[in-house]
Amino acid sequence: MTRLTLTTTSLANVAADAVIVGVAKADGGLVVAPGAADIDKALKRRLKATLSDLGATGALGQVTRLPTFGATKAPTVVAVGLGQAPARRQGYDPAAVRRAVGAAVRSLAGTGKVATALATVNGDNDPATVRAVAEGAALGGYTFAKYRSNASSDAAKPPVGTVSLVVPNNRDKGVRAAVDRAIVLGDAVALARDLVNTPAADLHPADLAAAAERACTEAGCTVEVYDEKALAKGGHGGILGVGQGAANPPRLVRIAWHGDTGNGRKPAAGTAVHLVGKGITFDSGGLSLKTATGMEWMKADMGGAAAVIATLLAAARSKLPVDVVGWIASAENMPSGTAIRPSDVLTMRGGKTVEVMNTDAEGRLVMADAIVRAGEEEPAAIVDIATLTGAQLVALGSRVFAVMSNDDELRAELVAAADGAGEQAWPMPLPDELRASLDSPVADISNMGDRYGGMLVAGLFLKEFVPDGVPWGHLDVAGPAWNEGEPHGYTPKGGTGVPVATLLEFLERRA
Ligand code: BES
Ligand code: MN
Ligand code: ZN
């Protein structure tokens, strides 16, 4: 993880291997964003012209490198595009700044120390801008090299060691708080990405549970792990049914963070938010086997669980004054002689029966048990996070996750939290008329319904397991949890850590 520090030393004099400046697109061509004046001066006011000559356009996330031949203390200037320059009196969009800083820091992997004055691009001590720069650096400073044998290869370069934010006053409380929060968020997102990127052979359900235990206990959470025996005793037919074909048994994990509302007082009973994460460590489809290409990224089918673990870690480390309970529903979905068969009937936690018509619709089965568990604890709200359907990718593409809910306010709250956190989310409906497609001729409900609107059908299935009167939100993050394409902004290839930033923002706004 990249370290973040604050400094008041000017950019031209700061001891660093590279400095990052911002450039933007304007009607008259390229403009250099505020925060680079002393660098420009040291370069005899030729910064803009030289960057233009090198092909810089100001396009968001475009990175241009410039050697300074001793004119500044740092040997290299890295200019990053901030997109369209804002109209006068309007500031640079913090979301664009976050992504641009992320792209710059990502491009500097392998570098020891980097400095930037982009935190002042909207004037001194603007908390939203400081936050955006700090988060861009923390989220862009990530690489996953655990499985590289050649540590000096390009692909195995470590993230930037330190990013120093040049600010006018490094004792400003708001500035320091923004940096501290970015460090907490960056560490949490890195944990989620690491878990998602880890091959399924090295991350069985028991390993996922152990990872939650390790990370969250140290931060002050209480963690309970239910093994297959405990799951059987508690009647968790969904988690057990999905896990029964695998050599590696399933787990349910409960992670609790008890906030402190000041003077040792605890939040009132019934105010806890419950987060439920899908933790399928590998989704082969089971007997309803996926195609070879359909399995390529299915080690990432625990992205929801990784996000819940990371969010609990962040909530605990930032000592949020709220109660949060995380649930990890984890199993490996494999075909074998002991696997569930299409048409088998499972009895879920709480007694509802499900006819399993497609063993590849396993996520909703494990999630249902965990949602029932959460519902037994008088939750103020339940939010579940799951890489649940391929239909999510069809509907919203690979970067925008879907928010469904039985409560208009909660849905709006979640979408707004994503907006504030710089992640992309969009509200989706749960149309009643699709529910009938889940009727089963033999059991209470089938796990397969209409193919059209498959994401909504999956949401309607989960809704059946939410107790009446409990506000519930459902985030389908099938696409956004994993980046199959090229890195962009602060998002690396592979595990992205979405929607950890949204969940932390959501909890903070509730606190
Ligand atoms: N884990 C998949 C969903 C998925 C697909 C996530 C692609 C990320 C990328 C899920 O378990 C699944 O297989 N869903 C099926 C449901 C269907 C059988 C009703 C799907 O979407 O095809
Ligand atoms: Mn599946
Ligand atoms: Zn799945």
Side-chain angles (χ1 to χ4, degrees):
M1 255 295 294
T2 298
R3 253 165 43 87
L4 298 181
T5 61
L6 292 167
T7 181
T8 52
T9 310
S10 83
L11 209 52
N13 295 317
V14 71
D17 301 302
V19 295
I20 301 170
V21 302
V23 290
K25 272 183 185 178
D27 290 343
L30 193 72
V31 293
V32 177
D38 60 330
I39 290 281
D40 189 31
K41 199 171 158 202
L43 294 173
K44 305 210 162 64
R45 314 231 178 258
R46 288 202 289 249
L47 182 60
K48 181 170 104 171
T50 310
L51 288 170
S52 259
D53 287 347
L54 288 170
T57 63
L60 182 58
Q62 183 196 56
V63 170
T64 310
R65 273 176 177 252
L66 174 67
T68 60
F69 303 111
T72 61
K73 187 136 191 202
T76 305
V77 169
V78 170
V80 66
L82 298 170
Q84 198 65 42
R88 214 178 300 177
R89 268 198 290 259
Q90 249 176 358
Y92 283 87
D93 174 15
V97 172
R98 188 190 284 110
R99 286 167 59 188
V101 170
V105 170
R106 202 163 38 68
S107 80
L108 283 160
T111 308
K113 192 172 172 203
V114 173
T116 181
L118 274 167
T120 60
V121 78
N122 289 323
D124 293 351
N125 303 335
D126 176 51
T129 312
V130 177
R131 178 182 155 176
V133 173
E135 288 181 3
L139 300 174
Y142 174 85
T143 56
F144 186 69
K146 199 175 153 199
Y147 290 87
R148 303 272 181 192
S149 63
N150 181 358
S152 57
S153 75
D154 257 17
K157 276 185 187 166
V160 168
T162 304
V163 175
S164 256
L165 273 57
V166 177
V167 290
N169 176 4
N170 59 0
R171 282 163 209 274
D172 183 276
K173 276 221 176 94
V175 169
R176 298 187 76 99
V179 170
D180 289 345
R181 184 189 181 282
I183 292 170
V184 167
L185 176 67
D187 286 348
V189 167
L191 171 66
R193 289 172 179 171
D194 281 349
L195 290 171
V196 169
N197 289 332
T198 300
D202 293 340
L203 194 81
H204 300 149
D207 301 315
L208 188 60
E213 218 166 4
R214 207 178 319 118
C216 298
T217 308
E218 195 192 312
C221 299
T222 317
V223 181
E224 290 161 72
V225 178
Y226 299 86
D227 64 10
E228 65 272 32
K229 279 195 200 116
L231 289 170
K233 208 167 156 208
H236 303 78
I239 297 172
L240 283 168
V242 171
Q244 77 188 37
N248 311 299
R251 293 288 183 270
L252 174 69
V253 187
R254 181 183 187 277
I255 313 165
W257 164 247
H258 290 290
D260 187 326
T261 54
N263 307 321
R265 263 175 298 141
K266 293 286 167 195
T271 59
V273 174
H274 285 242
L275 305 176
V276 181
K278 173 176 171 182
I280 299 296
T281 56
F282 190 75
D283 184 10
S284 71
L287 287 176
S288 310
L289 197 63
K290 287 185 184 294
T291 60
T293 44
M295 271 180 229
E296 279 172 4
W297 23 299
M298 282 305 126
K299 69 171 181 182
D301 210 16
M302 31 56 71
V308 170
I309 295 168
T311 303
L312 265 291
L313 171 67
R317 279 189 60 194
S318 48
K319 305 226 177 310
L320 279 192
V322 284
D323 280 353
V324 192
V325 180
W327 296 91
I328 304 305
S330 185
E332 192 181 13
N333 189 22
M334 297 294 267
S336 78
T338 61
I340 35 168
R341 309 156 190 84
S343 79
D344 279 356
V345 174
L346 300 174
T347 302
M348 316 292 277
R349 171 85 175 187
K352 270 204 184 67
T353 59
V354 179
E355 186 184 19
V356 178
M357 288 313 288
N358 189 319
T359 65
D360 197 12
E362 85 297 338
R364 60 197 77 181
L365 300 173
V366 299
M367 292 298 280
D369 274 347
I371 287 171
V372 170
R373 283 296 300 262
E376 290 166 5
E377 299 192 7
E378 283 181 58
I382 299 175
V383 177
D384 81 70
I385 305 96
T387 48
L388 204 59
T389 65
Q392 184 277 319
L393 280 131
V394 177
L396 293 174
S398 54
R399 294 194 194 174
V400 182
F401 65 85
V403 184
M404 288 153 270
S405 182
N406 62 359
D407 184 285
D408 292 344
E409 265 174 54
L410 178 60
R411 193 193 311 103
E413 209 180 323
L414 287 162
V415 173
D419 223 38
E423 293 183 334
Q424 290 179 271
W426 204 254
M428 283 289 171
L430 292 169
D432 281 334
E433 69 275 13
L434 288 177
R435 168 60 186 83
S437 72
L438 286 164
D439 285 346
S440 157
V442 299
D444 297 343
I445 191 169
S446 163
N447 79 331
M448 263 299 270
D450 255 4
R451 196 164 74 80
Y452 295 121
M455 169 172 68
L456 319 179
V457 172
L460 284 164
F461 179 93
L462 294 183
K463 189 174 170 219
E464 296 287 317
F465 296 87
V466 178
D468 284 342
V470 174
W472 156 75
H474 164 51
L475 312 184
D476 194 335
V477 296
W482 178 261
N483 178 20
E484 181 72 354
E486 287 311 303
H488 57 89
Y490 54 77
T491 306
K493 225 175 154 59
T496 62
V498 172
V500 176
T502 297
L503 294 171
L504 182 62
E505 180 83 19
F506 169 74
L507 293 175
E508 284 176 345
R509 290 181 180 199
R510 287 224 150 194

